[in-house]
Amino acid sequence: MTDSYIYIISVLLPLAACMVLFQVNPYHALVIRGILGAIAAMIYAIWGAADVALTEALVGTMLAITLYAIAVRSSMVMRVGVLTEELQEIDENILKDDRVHNLFGQLITDLRKVFQNYYMRIELIFYQDIKELDQALIDREIHTTCVRSSSLEPDNLDETETQPYQTKTRVKRLYNIMKNELSSSKTMLTYFSETKPEEKH
Amino acid sequence: MNIIFMNVILIAMILALLIPIVEVCKDNNVWQKMLALSSISSKTTMMIFIVSVLRDDWMIGVVAVIILSVGNAGFMLMAHIMKRMRNA
């Protein structure tokens, strides 16, 4: 048999598969899955299975990657509920270019930094008042709320100065990550245990 | 003689295919990985073309054409999704 190259090509498939296995970043793993699909399609075609190669290229590589990209994008996210007044503060600070005093912006940047290590995004969702925010947390529309301590307890001024924000989360894992890694002293962390423990998120 | 020449071309192609694979392992940027992916997919399609000519099997050749054209459309779609993820 003169087709000695077939054996060399076949080695590439387990090589690419190992690369997918040892990749920890989900987005990078998707791209490497595309590489695995391309190599697999080539091997199938060379072994004479043209129909399998075509299916691998069309479904395995193109469709699966696109669908998984959307799935990863929508699941690796922490939804943070905040009040609409923070939005106004952000806008004002952008206009004034007042980066130092924009505590909320700094806090969100810190959060983004912490969750970047876990390949998660932060999505801000705005609510009109505290009641709506708490209801959204109970209804599981959001994972975390982040509000000013002064809007919660206007009397307790001492604490408000040292920790101007209060972050409450209903997901234990997120709470643990933030407790261990969020070095910012701008916020107070609380864990909100749900009333219905039999249900799982 | 001709077949040996084609085999040499294919083995050279396999060696060239190893370059983007090494690049994927080394680099941490997702766009570098996309570049390596498009490089690998073009190279594998060209290899399928060479094999189809070598064996005089046009069925494999047609598959290579479809993979080449549709695969690129898929990568464009994927790149758009990744770009939107970065912006969000």
Side-chain angles (χ1 to χ4, degrees), chain A residues 4 6 9 24 62 81 93 111 117 132 139 157 161 173 191 194:
Chain A
S4 55
I6 282 185
I9 288 174
V24 284
M62 199 184 117
N93 281 321
L111 273 179
N117 301 332
E132 265 183 57
D139 293 343
L157 275 175
E161 267 170 31
R173 176 83 182 122
Y191 174 59
E194 292 175 75

Side-chain angles (χ1 to χ4, degrees), chain A residues 63-78:
Chain A
L63 192 68
I65 283 183
T66 312
L67 292 183
Y68 271 113
I70 294 168
V72 169
R73 179 186 141 81
S74 52
S75 60
M76 304 279 289
V77 62
M78 180 170 88

Side-chain angles (χ1 to χ4, degrees), chain A residues 181-193:
Chain A
E181 292 179 36
L182 192 64
S183 52
S184 141
S185 59
K186 296 173 199 75
T187 180
M188 207 166 80
L189 272 175
T190 21
Y191 174 59
F192 172 77
S193 62

Side-chain angles (χ1 to χ4, degrees), chain A residues 2-6 8-9 12 15 19 23 27-28 30-32 34-35 38-39 41-42 45-48 50-51 53-54 57-58 61-62 65-66 69-70 73 112 121, chain B residues 3 7 10-11 14 17-18 21 24-25 28-30 33-34 36-37 40-41 44 47-48 51 54-55 59-60 63 66-67 70 74-75 77-78 81-82 84-86 88:
Chain A
T2 52
D3 296 349
S4 55
Y5 58 86
I6 282 185
I8 309 173
I9 288 174
L12 293 173
L15 187 77
M19 272 160 49
Q23 182 59 248
Y27 301 112
H28 292 187
L30 276 178
V31 178
I32 299 176
I35 292 172
I39 291 175
M42 174 180 71
I46 286 174
W47 280 101
D51 49 345
L54 201 57
L58 294 184
T61 306
M62 199 184 117
I65 283 183
T66 312
I70 294 168
R73 179 186 141 81
R112 270 188 219 278
R121 291 181 305 124
Chain B
I3 288 178
N7 271 317
L10 262 178
I11 287 169
I14 295 168
L17 193 62
L18 289 175
I21 290 180
V24 161
C25 293
N28 244 343
N29 187 347
V30 75
K33 283 190 162 58
M34 285 293 281
L37 166 61
I40 286 174
S41 87
T44 51
M47 284 164 79
I48 300 173
V51 169
L54 188 64
R55 293 187 188 163
M59 186 179 72
I60 296 177
V63 168
I66 295 175
I67 291 176
V70 183
F75 295 144
L77 211 65
M78 191 174 147
I81 292 174
M82 294 217 157
R84 288 183 67 171
M85 252 169 336
R86 298 280 132 169

Side-chain angles (χ1 to χ4, degrees), chain A residues 102-120:
Chain A
N102 187 357
L103 282 173
F104 183 71
Q106 279 176 13
L107 180 63
I108 294 298
T109 315
D110 287 348
L111 273 179
R112 270 188 219 278
K113 239 179 240 164
V114 167
F115 281 101
Q116 221 160 41
N117 301 332
Y118 294 90
Y119 313 109
M120 285 177 75

